[in-house]
Amino acid sequence: MTDIINKIDGQVQVIFEKGEGTQIYRDAIWMTQDEYDAVSTESMEQAKQQRYDNWLAIINAMPTEEVLVTDSANTVTPVV
């Protein structure tokens, strides 16, 4: 996806997407027009990458839920 640049009420919104497969991250970075004009392409890419990396770390660190089933004899069995 190519970045989408919106200008709203003196602010610049850069909408971007990073990732592949099922791990697609979509976000927007807001800044003033002056900040947008001053930021380098490299700095913008670093900010996007940092947001993506932080999101990916959270997503991959989430524990999976273990489902427990109790039968009539009160035996608890994990379901995988």
Side-chain angles (χ1 to χ4, degrees):
M1 172 181 146
T2 304
D3 291 353
I4 299 170
I5 312 295
N6 293 319
K7 296 183 181 184
I8 304 168
D9 295 331
Q11 298 284 313
V12 178
Q13 177 191 40
V14 180
I15 301 172
F16 67 96
E17 181 179 282
K18 287 187 101 37
E20 46 187 68
T22 60
Q23 294 186 320
I24 303 294
Y25 176 71
R26 292 175 183 92
D27 197 1
I29 298 175
W30 285 87
M31 63 191 76
T32 66
Q33 183 66 54
D34 290 341
E35 290 169 333
Y36 180 74
D37 293 341
V39 72
S40 69
T41 302
E42 182 179 314
S43 292
M44 181 64 73
E45 290 304 316
Q46 288 174 346
K48 293 178 202 175
Q49 189 64 47
Q50 182 179 17
R51 286 180 178 216
Y52 174 72
D53 291 343
N54 290 342
W55 173 79
L56 199 56
I58 292 168
I59 295 302
N60 290 330
M62 287 186 177
T64 57
E65 285 190 35
E66 182 179 51
V67 177
L68 302 176
V69 175
T70 305
D71 63 17
S72 60
N74 286 330
T75 305
V76 177
T77 308
V79 176
V80 182

